Amino acid sequence: MSVQEVETRVLRPERFEEVLPPERYAEFAAAMQRARELFEGRRVWNINSTASGGGVAEMLRSLLAYCQGIGVDARWLVIGGNPDFFRITKRIHNFLHGSEGDGGELGDAERRIYEETIDEGASELVSMVAAKDVVLVHDPQPAGLVARLKEKGASVIWRCHVGLDLPTDVARQAWQFLLPYVTQADSLVFSRREFAWEGVDGSKIDIIRPSIDAFSAKNQELDGDAVSAILAVAGLLDGEAKSAPTFHREDGSPAQVQRTADYIEGGDAPKPDDRLVLQVSRWDRLKDPVGVIRGFAEHVAPQVDDVHLVVAGPDVEAVADDPEGAEVVLESIAAWESLDSDVKARVHLASLPMDDGEENAAIVNALQRRADVVVQKSLAEGFGLTVAEAMWKARPVVASKIGGIQDQIEDGVTGLLVQDPKDLEEYGGDVADLLQNAQRATEIGKRAQNRVRDEFLGPRHLTEYLRLIERRHL
Ligand code: UDP
């Protein structure tokens, strides 16, 4: 097992004063003060297995930067292993989602490989941590380190970012594999109560929901001109950019979108005045892009004339370790091919450039801000960051009533929940309703934005971690 420290940046937490209501900001300011005192002379370590790609890395990057800004010495270690180790941990990850993955087992042989890998680098890693420190161990890959960190005297929180609403036998196999490691932690944190495992002492369980970064390239404010310019330069809307396609990078420096996206189905881009329905997600069957297309064609397009659908995802060429992505793109193209020609002209499959992560994020940001309705018609979802991202932009969202989506959207108030994720008529009907009731859509969007401001930004997330550490005297 290799161990690498990821450099954490420093971001000013005081910038949240711009977006939070005064009483919320005061609460956060008080928490920051307590955190400074509690962590005087101590460190908070985070351990996971990737520095980029995926929601966990995205959250750590921003939350740890705010910790540094608060004056808490927050560190980030990434462990690496050989292909056998990652084959097993990927299997565990799939099982935790209730999916059979590669069909392999989690038996004694797998446990031996897992433990041997962890043992190889454990001493080096543990030597970096002091007995007074707090360590957050994220997800299955580094779970085997919990006992070693406890022996050292550190306080340890195991943070599980995945889960499913109803446990399955496959999920239980992964739990059995991990339980001997994770139950040694002082606290086990899940994103929702329903994700907590059988066999864990209930008094050790804590629930903390994820968050988005209001100021990242993905979520920062963009005015209407910048949105139009970014989408025009990216080739996602017809016409020329009339102003600069500018966004701001994490370090605050201005940058411009330069690369173009592709409409892979080969149709013309929507016109600047067309209304848009949008789903942004990885090309994954569990995000159901084919259902999004068919539901739109059958239940939205016939009812609303001027509306187009954009289904956008990363350029699959750039995601070399996901063979499924290319297959799902082909399935989506086949669904588009089967549409009547008038509907075909209104359905677009966008492949977004991945060369520069922040440019990709700025394009997603512009698409979400430009959309009249955002959908997330997933069949399974741990949290669904795309939902919070769209809500933060005051977009009305139609999303499946599953996993963490249910914690974000209050049905009919801050978005619409599709009760049966496979029911195309219900999904299409909800989308058409919002397109035909502009006032309802605006009100829902406004309430959605307030909900994200209050519940799904970094200050709430960090304050909950602090309260957990205080409550458990870690
Ligand atoms: N995303 C992106 N570019 C894309 C497609 C997706 O940046 O081309 C982002 C999306 O905005 C979100 C994340 O990938 O921040 C996906 O997180 P989510 O929780 O929605 O789903 P996951 O992919 O983790 O299942």
Side-chain angles (χ1 to χ4, degrees):
M1 183 184 85
S2 63
V3 181
Q4 269 199 316
E5 179 154 9
V6 182
E7 205 182 323
T8 45
R9 292 166 306 124
V10 182
L11 288 172
R12 281 180 56 250
E14 291 80 15
R15 72 205 305 203
F16 283 101
E17 199 165 5
E18 285 169 38
V19 295
L20 293 179
E23 66 282 7
R24 288 261 172 182
Y25 184 74
E27 213 178 294
F28 180 47
M32 290 197 281
Q33 184 53 35
R34 299 205 310 277
R36 267 189 288 273
E37 288 162 16
L38 189 63
F39 284 98
E40 173 94 55
R42 310 167 70 191
R43 287 184 174 139
V44 183
W45 297 89
N46 286 263
I47 307 172
N48 80 329
S49 61
T50 178
S52 65
V56 177
E58 189 152 332
M59 274 191 288
L60 285 181
R61 190 170 302 283
S62 107
L63 292 178
L64 300 191
Y66 288 118
C67 284
Q68 296 289 1
I70 291 167
V72 173
D73 191 357
R75 303 296 183 100
W76 183 359
L77 300 176
V78 169
I79 62 159
N82 59 28
D84 277 347
F85 174 76
F86 282 121
R87 187 170 44 77
I88 291 163
T89 58
K90 178 77 191 186
R91 192 176 295 162
I92 298 172
H93 176 90
N94 281 326
F95 280 21
L96 289 176
H97 273 298
S99 150
E100 307 244 339
D102 65 358
E105 291 181 20
L106 290 178
D108 291 344
E110 287 73 23
R111 190 176 293 286
R112 214 164 14 252
I113 295 172
Y114 179 80
E115 290 186 355
E116 274 170 18
T117 309
I118 292 285
D119 277 350
E120 268 166 29
S123 300
E124 181 199 344
L125 187 146
V126 170
S127 72
M128 301 166 83
V129 173
K132 58 190 170 185
D133 293 347
V134 173
V135 189
L136 281 93
V137 177
H138 296 265
D139 282 335
Q141 296 87 348
L145 288 163
V146 171
R148 298 287 299 265
L149 292 160
K150 285 299 299 172
E151 279 164 24
K152 175 84 184 216
S155 300
V156 183
I157 297 169
W158 185 62
R159 199 335 174 181
C160 183
H161 293 272
V162 296
L164 72 180
D165 291 338
L166 291 173
T168 63
D169 286 345
V170 163
R172 288 191 179 94
Q173 284 181 49
W175 299 353
Q176 289 309 324
F177 190 92
L178 293 172
L179 275 169
Y181 313 121
V182 300
T183 47
Q184 301 189 48
D186 298 288
S187 155
L188 285 82
V189 178
F190 295 90
S191 295
R192 53 190 333 244
R193 179 77 44 201
E194 291 77 359
F195 290 177
W197 303 355
E198 296 157 5
V200 176
D201 172 2
S203 68
K204 282 195 170 185
I205 292 175
D206 291 292
I207 306 299
I208 297 184
R209 294 160 303 162
S211 61
I212 60 168
D213 184 349
F215 303 102
S216 65
K218 177 78 54 71
N219 297 310
Q220 66 193 213
E221 189 66 43
L222 292 175
D223 65 27
D225 289 345
V227 166
S228 302
I230 288 171
L231 296 179
V233 167
L236 293 169
L237 279 187
D238 198 21
E240 300 277 308
K242 297 200 179 68
S243 58
T246 303
F247 66 97
H248 287 86
R249 293 193 180 276
E250 279 181 340
D251 63 5
S253 64
Q256 300 205 344
V257 168
Q258 292 172 340
R259 294 180 182 82
T260 54
D262 283 326
Y263 276 128
I264 38 191
E265 87 292 343
D268 293 334
K271 303 272 178 290
D273 292 339
D274 289 329
R275 292 201 289 169
L276 293 189
V277 173
L278 172 74
Q279 174 160 303
V280 179
S281 48
R282 291 178 296 103
W283 301 98
D284 185 319
R285 288 194 187 91
L286 292 175
K287 309 287 183 184
D288 197 18
V290 170
V292 172
I293 294 166
R294 285 189 34 225
F296 176 86
E298 291 165 22
H299 303 287
V300 182
Q303 295 194 53
V304 190
D305 286 339
D306 61 342
V307 67
H308 289 235
L309 170 69
V310 173
V311 179
D315 177 3
V316 285
E317 306 263 299
V319 192
D321 64 349
D322 186 5
E324 215 181 282
E327 290 168 22
V328 176
V329 168
L330 291 178
E331 289 163 18
S332 305
I333 293 174
W336 179 83
E337 293 281 0
S338 71
L339 303 176
D340 291 343
S341 58
D342 55 327
V343 182
K344 259 186 185 160
R346 293 161 60 189
V347 173
H348 313 271
L349 309 178
S351 167
L352 308 183
M354 294 291 289
D355 315 69
D356 172 345
E358 288 191 276
E359 180 186 55
N360 174 278
I363 297 173
V364 171
N365 189 349
L367 274 173
Q368 289 168 328
R369 289 185 186 279
R370 178 60 176 69
D372 294 277
V373 176
V374 171
V375 302
Q376 193 59 55
K377 213 196 90 43
S378 303
L379 305 174
E381 199 69 75
F383 181 69
L385 285 171
T386 51
V387 172
E389 289 162 8
M391 289 170 73
W392 173 240
K393 289 150 198 155
R395 300 297 88 200
V397 179
V398 173
S400 306
K401 186 173 187 294
I402 46 157
I405 291 176
Q406 304 162 82
D407 299 327
Q408 303 183 60
I409 294 181
E410 306 139 297
D411 193 19
V413 182
T414 48
L416 298 183
L417 288 176
V418 180
Q419 307 295 317
D420 174 359
K422 295 201 166 143
D423 186 341
L424 298 185
E425 190 172 349
E426 188 190 350
Y427 141 69
D430 281 351
V431 172
D433 180 73
L434 289 172
L435 290 167
Q436 287 163 332
N437 289 293
Q439 193 181 342
R440 183 176 190 221
T442 305
E443 286 168 7
I444 285 179
K446 191 67 210 147
R447 287 192 295 258
Q449 186 174 49
N450 288 339
R451 180 156 175 81
V452 173
R453 182 195 64 197
D454 292 346
E455 303 290 338
F456 298 109
L457 297 183
R460 188 273 307 156
H461 202 165
L462 291 171
T463 304
E464 284 189 353
Y465 271 121
L466 175 67
R467 289 199 185 123
L468 183 165
I469 291 165
E470 288 173 328
R471 194 172 57 242
R472 293 189 177 274
H473 305 292
L474 301 182

